[in-house]
Amino acid sequence: MNKTGSLILLLIALNIATSQIITIPIEKRVPEVENNSFLDDNEQAAIDQLINHSQFMYSGNIEVGNSKQTFNVDFDTGSNLLWLTSKSCSTCHQDGFKNSYDCNVADGCNMTTTPGSVSYVDGSGVFGHIAKVPVAIAGLAPSTQALLLVEKSVKNKGLQSDGLMGLGVYDEHNSNNVAFVNQLFKQGTISKSQFSFYLGFGEKESELIIGGVDNSKLANPSEIYYHPIILNGQQNDSQRWSVAIKSVSFGGQSVSLTSQNVAIVDSGTSLLVMRNDIYKQWIQYLKSVASLKTIMSGLTVFYSVKCGTTLPDLTFTLTDVNGVDRNYSLPSSFYLVKNGNICIIGVQGGSVTNDVQFLLGDVFMRRFVSVFDYTTLSMGLSQSVANPANAPNKAQKHSIESTIALGLALVAIAGLIFLTIRALRK
Ligand SMILES: *[C@@H]1O[C@H](CO)[C@@H](O)[C@H](O)[C@H]1NC(C)=O
Ligand SMILES: *[C@@H]1O[C@H](CO)[C@@H](O)[C@H](O)[C@H]1NC(C)=O
Ligand SMILES: *[C@@H]1O[C@H](CO)[C@@H](O)[C@H](O)[C@H]1NC(C)=O
Ligand SMILES: *[C@@H]1O[C@H](CO)[C@@H](O)[C@H](O)[C@H]1NC(C)=O
Ligand SMILES: *[C@@H]1O[C@H](CO)[C@@H](O)[C@H](O)[C@H]1NC(C)=O
């Protein structure tokens, strides 16, 4: 074995020895398409139905209360709050939530009078009050956590999980605004204040890792680069996991950006959302090298290509903590989302809201293992071993409908990022 190889092995061994990493298996949920209501000549009906579904999320289990009741939640780096439904919520039953949490003192749960809510851009939302309850993950020691107990659910049909866990930088409803993972670190449950995601293409291979990084998921464990989080000086929910993008490149073109052009690495966004003008420029370029088919869903435009087409890479350049520019390139096998025999470009244009101009969602996160570090307030990225060939290739009798489902769900999901902007607070 060469020197570099041994050094890498040694580093891996040291890493394992010095930091305990906790792996939480997460599942990739694929939309459940209800067959019979689809008519090929009635796309609008399909759209109306599917816009209510929030799909393609990655979810895993947490344990709540002294009784350690298990709930399956979506893990969302784009928001802060943990929410589950309460027993008394009749709209939650209507929206298909199956497991509610019954907050009572015997289970270690205290209700507060603080209202809380989360609103999605598509008009859906959850409303209720904050409880304080022990929350654990992967059998670790629990920490007291703020929990939004939902009393009213609006348009969340088809969410498929029991709720959502925000994994933001801060959590305003917790004491000292400390977020869940950072709390586990502060109480000594984990040895490094960070978490990371490995998002695979298969339905069962993905992982949320608490307290470190799973080196076996990195294409090259020596190549992980950290990027500073852009700090807004406020240690509350308004601080996000935002990084600056220096440029976006494709073909021979490169669009330069400034530190005002913020991207969020967001597990709650299924696609990749790009500032509209750059998106249009990119699509224009793709049209010059391949044949693109337009698919409208509502006001949002998506494009598909003939499956088997290879398109040029889409590259994001970010400056690391040492001032070195790092290129993160998405091959088309990563940004094309295959559904049956239709291959959609999994990137959409987005209008500029404040400074957030890019949502590097699951399409990006499958290519790069992403590390969220509370101690250094930085974000690590490293090429993943995820393989597009592992994507489940379900025989699609209803491929057109599924395709529309895909596009739409994503519009809804993209809304998750705006949760904290709209969250009401007392
Ligand atoms: C879709 O149709 C198939 C076969 O007709 C059936 O087995 C399946 O349960 C249906 N799925 C839904 C969600 O209705
Ligand atoms: C989707 O939501 C709209 C608006 O709330 C509602 O009118 C429609 O019935 C819903 N469709 C389904 C299939 O749930
Ligand atoms: C709930 O309140 C009791 C009594 O004030 C307190 O001892 C307990 O620590 C609280 N539990 C949580 C999870 O905040
Ligand atoms: C965060 O704190 C600042 C300053 O205290 C306040 O102006 C802002 O509204 C807060 N943001 C949120 C989302 O609560
Ligand atoms: C990174 O991408 C830019 C823009 O395409 C290119 O000019 C530069 O050479 C690339 N750097 C590396 C190290 O590949």
Side-chain angles (χ1 to χ4, degrees):
M1 181 176 293
N2 66 28
K3 252 189 191 158
T4 318
S6 333
L7 181 63
I8 290 170
L9 277 186
L10 178 67
L11 288 175
I12 294 172
L14 277 176
N15 193 29
I16 289 167
T18 53
S19 68
Q20 181 203 13
I21 69 160
I22 316 296
T23 302
I24 294 109
I26 50 180
E27 264 186 65
K28 182 185 181 201
R29 286 201 316 267
V30 189
E32 279 171 11
V33 179
E34 290 158 39
N35 310 328
N36 51 11
S37 49
F38 290 108
L39 303 167
D40 282 352
D41 61 347
N42 194 354
E43 287 193 343
Q44 202 51 53
I47 283 172
D48 286 347
Q49 177 170 32
L50 287 158
I51 206 156
N52 300 338
H53 287 238
S54 305
Q55 303 131 334
F56 273 95
M57 296 291 279
Y58 287 87
S59 65
N61 292 342
I62 55 167
E63 299 123 44
V64 181
N66 294 337
S67 59
K68 300 202 180 298
Q69 196 183 334
T70 300
F71 290 95
N72 188 258
V73 292
D74 292 329
F75 291 112
D76 179 24
T77 57
S79 66
N80 312 284
L81 203 53
L82 166 67
W83 63 262
L84 293 170
T85 61
S86 71
K87 223 163 67 179
S88 62
C89 173
S90 56
T91 46
C92 297
H93 299 301
Q94 286 157 25
D95 271 357
F97 288 101
K98 291 183 190 81
N99 304 308
S100 58
Y101 178 65
D102 184 14
C103 176
N104 59 68
V105 175
D107 202 34
C109 181
N110 295 341
M111 216 49 231
T112 74
T113 54
T114 311
S117 76
V118 171
S119 297
Y120 299 61
V121 263
D122 66 348
S124 63
V126 288
F127 306 83
H129 286 87
I130 302 293
K132 294 287 169 82
V133 64
V135 175
I137 196 161
L140 296 173
S143 82
T144 298
Q145 174 72 24
L147 160 68
L148 168 63
L149 262 185
V150 176
E151 291 146 25
K152 187 177 146 202
S153 162
V154 179
K155 294 209 284 186
N156 287 304
K157 255 201 183 89
L159 194 62
Q160 294 180 53
S161 64
D162 298 326
L164 179 144
M165 179 176 240
L167 293 171
V169 183
Y170 298 102
D171 184 342
E172 281 182 16
H173 292 285
N174 278 347
S175 53
N176 302 319
N177 292 358
V178 180
F180 178 64
V181 171
N182 200 18
Q183 230 176 67
L184 292 179
F185 169 74
K186 286 180 191 286
Q187 71 187 29
T189 306
I190 52 174
S191 54
K192 249 186 181 176
S193 194
Q194 61 176 221
F195 65 89
S196 59
F197 275 103
Y198 163 72
L199 300 186
F201 285 84
E203 284 180 37
K204 305 246 185 231
E205 60 173 312
S206 304
E207 296 176 347
L208 162 63
I209 290 117
I210 306 272
V213 183
D214 181 350
N215 282 316
S216 73
K217 300 300 185 199
L218 308 184
N220 185 347
S222 66
E223 284 183 8
I224 177 160
Y225 303 113
Y226 284 84
H227 302 276
I229 295 302
I230 298 169
L231 301 174
N232 69 2
Q234 293 165 19
Q235 300 189 3
N236 62 15
D237 287 2
S238 67
Q239 176 65 57
R240 297 152 182 285
W241 291 113
S242 16
V243 288
I245 293 193
K246 188 177 182 191
S247 63
V248 182
S249 323
F250 38 86
Q253 306 177 38
S254 183
V255 183
S256 293
L257 300 164
T258 71
S259 61
Q260 302 303 310
N261 305 121
V262 166
I264 300 182
V265 179
D266 180 19
S267 61
T269 295
S270 304
L271 293 188
L272 195 158
V273 182
M274 246 198 321
R275 198 174 84 189
N276 241 330
D277 57 326
I278 303 176
Y279 176 70
K280 285 183 178 153
Q281 191 177 335
W282 179 56
I283 291 294
Q284 214 50 51
Y285 163 70
L286 290 182
K287 281 179 171 167
S288 72
V289 296
S291 165
L292 268 51
K293 183 175 176 242
T294 305
I295 305 176
M296 287 302 295
S297 62
L299 294 175
T300 311
V301 190
F302 288 95
Y303 297 92
S304 66
V305 292
K306 194 168 178 291
C307 290
T309 307
T310 299
L311 298 172
D313 290 4
L314 174 62
T315 302
F316 296 90
T317 303
L318 278 73
T319 306
D320 73 12
V321 290
N322 298 316
V324 181
D325 290 346
R326 304 292 177 186
N327 285 351
Y328 297 98
S329 290
L330 286 179
S332 59
S333 54
F334 281 76
Y335 68 70
L336 288 174
V337 182
K338 191 169 189 296
N339 207 308
N341 51 8
I342 298 192
C343 288
I344 294 196
I345 294 177
V347 181
Q348 69 182 93
S351 49
V352 180
T353 54
N354 300 333
D355 49 351
V356 180
Q357 304 183 348
F358 300 87
L359 303 177
L360 304 177
D362 299 343
V363 160
F364 181 87
M365 291 175 75
R366 279 193 284 270
R367 179 59 162 174
F368 302 102
V369 165
S370 33
V371 192
F372 300 78
D373 192 278
Y374 288 96
T375 306
T376 57
L377 288 173
S378 64
M379 156 92 259
L381 293 169
S382 184
Q383 194 176 313
S384 164
V385 296
N387 182 355
N390 291 347
N393 200 2
K394 294 189 172 153
Q396 297 280 340
K397 266 206 288 192
H398 301 274
S399 52
I400 306 252
E401 296 89 316
S402 316
T403 302
I404 295 164
L406 175 65
L408 281 166
L410 309 166
V411 179
I413 294 286
L416 283 179
I417 196 69
F418 301 105
L419 297 189
T420 47
I421 293 175
R422 293 185 160 208
L424 299 175
R425 247 193 101 227
K426 253 278 153 311

